[in-house]
Amino acid sequence: MREKSARSVGSSSLKTMEGDCLSCMKYLMFLFNFFIFLGGACLLGVGIWVIVDPTGFREIVAANPLLFTGAYIMLAMGAMLFLLGFLGCCGAIRENKCLLLFFFMFILLIFFCLHKMKVINLTAKGPTGELSVTWRGLLHFEKNSCCRL
């Protein structure tokens, strides 16, 4: 009889440890995704601000027109992080498998895109070993400062 009560006490404490650990992971996932959500909202706001009111950035953009494209990239990255953070937060708090699946698929898509860009970057060198003009324009910020190309 004592053995059964000892087993039930041990298994109940094990179940509460599992529950506590999963609860802690749930709230940590919510917290990290909330910060991603806030960062995406900030990037989205700054991107919209630069596109709608470019007067403050006119001198900077006039020096390098490629920087105006950066505002659209910042807008797209902000929207992507905003959506990613939203899916992660809602999926974690509500424990919704569908939202968490979309969150995972979105992160997997980002990973594959980054991998593809790395492959393109490695194979972008022409027959002379130089990067194409387009890649040099995209990657060149200042001589010997950013990518050392």
Side-chain angles (χ1 to χ4, degrees):
M1 185 94 170
R2 282 188 165 181
E3 291 177 11
K4 284 187 178 182
S5 64
R7 283 185 196 165
S8 65
V9 169
S11 73
S12 68
S13 67
L14 182 63
K15 286 181 183 179
T16 58
M17 274 195 341
E18 285 178 5
D20 291 342
C21 183
L22 290 177
S23 177
C24 179
M25 285 183 60
K26 171 180 149 179
Y27 289 114
L28 281 176
M29 186 170 175
F30 172 79
L31 182 69
F32 290 135
N33 282 300
F34 184 71
F35 287 134
I36 290 172
F37 178 78
L38 287 179
C42 289
L43 277 177
L44 194 60
V46 170
I48 290 171
W49 177 44
V50 170
I51 290 172
V52 171
D53 185 29
T55 57
F57 301 96
R58 190 160 287 162
E59 293 135 10
I60 298 170
V61 172
N64 190 356
L66 190 61
L67 291 177
F68 195 67
T69 307
Y72 288 107
I73 292 172
M74 189 168 31
L75 189 68
M77 292 298 292
M80 184 178 67
L81 287 174
F82 187 82
L83 179 64
L84 185 69
F86 177 77
L87 288 174
C89 282
C90 289
I93 283 296
R94 299 181 75 203
E95 296 180 14
N96 189 335
K97 289 182 182 182
C98 184
L99 287 176
L100 289 174
L101 179 68
F102 277 124
F103 175 76
F104 171 74
M105 296 300 274
F106 201 48
I107 287 186
L108 195 64
L109 177 72
I110 291 170
F111 174 75
F112 282 136
C113 288
L114 286 174
H115 180 68
K116 185 167 180 101
M117 290 302 294
K118 181 65 177 173
V119 169
I120 289 172
N121 191 18
L122 290 175
T123 60
K125 295 186 179 190
T128 61
E130 287 283 323
L131 287 174
S132 67
V133 176
T134 308
W135 278 105
R136 272 189 276 147
L138 286 173
L139 297 176
H140 180 70
F141 296 110
E142 284 185 31
K143 192 172 187 175
N144 295 329
S145 69
C146 172
C147 302
R148 300 191 187 267
L149 297 174

